[in-house]
């Protein structure tokens, strides 16, 4: 479905990704793991179009989208949730959701579906987003992305810095989104256990190169940990 093929990406004179290839399965999850500075966020920014590769191709359903702007990729079904629990802090939870839902044909119906996935947000509809906990803001960021009814959801460290009780809830939601069909996920994640539970395929990045790849599942943990210690 979504493929990044032999992409080389950099900032200025520095090269961050050196010929990286990653494929996201249809209605499934691909996980990208690696230490800080490995190039994981750069990979997602390339997938959504915020960075253009110096070499290589980005394809969606076999079509070359390398030259498309971010908003054009969003129109084709990509949604991106960057690090940092991003939201509009002075607006309420409901207003944050409404900004995305307004003008969409199924805006009201999809909002109800999203709130079913994140029941905590329903009880916080009238609270300003800036007063939510980090975990609640992350739920809100993912919920806003889902309101666009994406075919592919790009998630950058969705559980980073989140209290354990909410980490479990976010993990359950991501698994539910991927499991209901129609949505694929490219997941950048530090929690190896969760990433491998969710993913059909994993990729380990080190210094901007894929150093290991394989099928997800609990049996892959040893191989991933070994790759991360090299």
């Amino acid at each position: 479905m979504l493929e990044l093929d032999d992409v080389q990406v950099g900032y200025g004179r520095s090269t961050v990704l050196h010929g990286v290839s990653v494929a996201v399965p249809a209605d499934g999850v691909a996980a990208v793991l690696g230490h800080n500075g490995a190039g994981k966020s750069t990979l997602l920014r390339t997938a959504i179009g915020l960075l253009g590769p110096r070499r290589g191709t980005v394809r969606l359903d076999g079509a070359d989208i390398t030259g498309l702007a971010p908003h054009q990729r969003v129109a084709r079904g990509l949604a991106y949730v960057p690090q940092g629990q991003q939201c509009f802090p002075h607006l309420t939870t409901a207003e944050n959701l409404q900004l995305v839902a307004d003008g969409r044909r199924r805006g009201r119906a999809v909002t109800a579906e999203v709130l079913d996935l994140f029941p905590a947000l329903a009880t916080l509809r009238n609270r300003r987003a800036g007063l939510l906990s980090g975990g609640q803001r992350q739920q809100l960021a993912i919920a806003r992305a889902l309101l666009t009814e994406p075919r592919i959801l790009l998630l950058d460290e969705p559980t980073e810095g989140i209290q354990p009780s909410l980490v479990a809830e976010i993990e359950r939601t991501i698994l539910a989104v991927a499991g209901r069909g129609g949505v694929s996920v490219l997941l950048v994640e530090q929690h190896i256990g969760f990433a491998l539970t969710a993913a059909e395929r994993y990729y380990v990045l080190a210094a901007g190169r894929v150093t290991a790849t394989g099928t997800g599942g609990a049996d892959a943990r040893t191989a991933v940990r070994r790759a991360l210690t090299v």
Side-chain angles (χ1 to χ4, degrees), residues 96-183:
N96 267 272
L97 296 173
Q98 188 175 352
L99 278 176
V100 181
D102 277 355
R104 303 192 68 85
R105 184 175 58 84
R106 296 186 62 246
R108 183 174 296 181
V110 178
T111 299
E113 293 171 7
V114 166
L115 289 176
D116 283 341
L117 285 172
F118 292 105
L121 294 181
T123 66
L124 299 167
R125 294 177 65 93
N126 297 319
R127 182 172 298 183
R128 284 196 300 171
L131 300 178
L132 301 177
S133 71
Q136 291 162 348
R137 287 195 302 274
Q138 185 63 282
Q139 291 181 47
L140 179 56
I142 296 172
R144 290 176 60 213
L146 291 174
L147 285 176
T148 67
E149 298 185 271
R151 297 169 54 217
I152 300 177
L153 185 61
L154 311 174
L155 297 174
D156 194 354
E157 304 278 13
T159 64
E160 182 185 29
I162 306 299
Q163 63 192 64
S165 61
L166 287 177
V167 166
E169 188 168 340
I170 290 171
E171 290 176 349
R172 284 194 298 271
T173 301
I174 293 169
L175 289 171
V177 168
R180 66 183 181 179
V183 181

Side-chain angles (χ1 to χ4, degrees), residues 9-11 16-17 39-47 51 156:
V9 184
Y11 302 89
V16 178
L17 298 180
K40 304 185 302 297
S41 294
T42 297
L43 183 72
L44 291 191
R45 289 169 62 83
T46 303
L51 292 172
D156 194 354

Side-chain angles (χ1 to χ4, degrees), residues 35 202 204-206 211-213 221-230:
H35 298 300
Y202 72 83
V204 177
L205 279 186
T211 58
T213 183
R221 293 189 186 191
T222 300
V224 169
R225 289 196 173 99
R226 186 182 299 120
L228 289 171
T229 59
V230 172

Side-chain angles (χ1 to χ4, degrees), residues 1-7 20-32 43-49 57-66 68 73-74 76-80 150-155 183-187 201 203:
M1 175 170 274
L2 177 67
E3 300 172 282
L4 292 92
D5 183 23
D6 193 32
V7 293
V20 170
S21 295
V22 169
V24 183
D27 297 343
V29 179
V32 179
L43 183 72
L44 291 191
R45 289 169 62 83
T46 303
I48 196 62
T57 308
V58 182
R59 297 188 186 91
L60 180 62
D61 293 333
D64 188 344
I65 63 169
T66 312
L68 296 186
R73 301 188 194 200
V74 170
R76 293 198 179 200
L78 272 66
Y80 172 49
R151 297 169 54 217
I152 300 177
L153 185 61
L154 311 174
L155 297 174
V183 181
S184 299
V185 179
L186 180 54
L187 171 68
R201 190 97 189 152
Y203 299 85

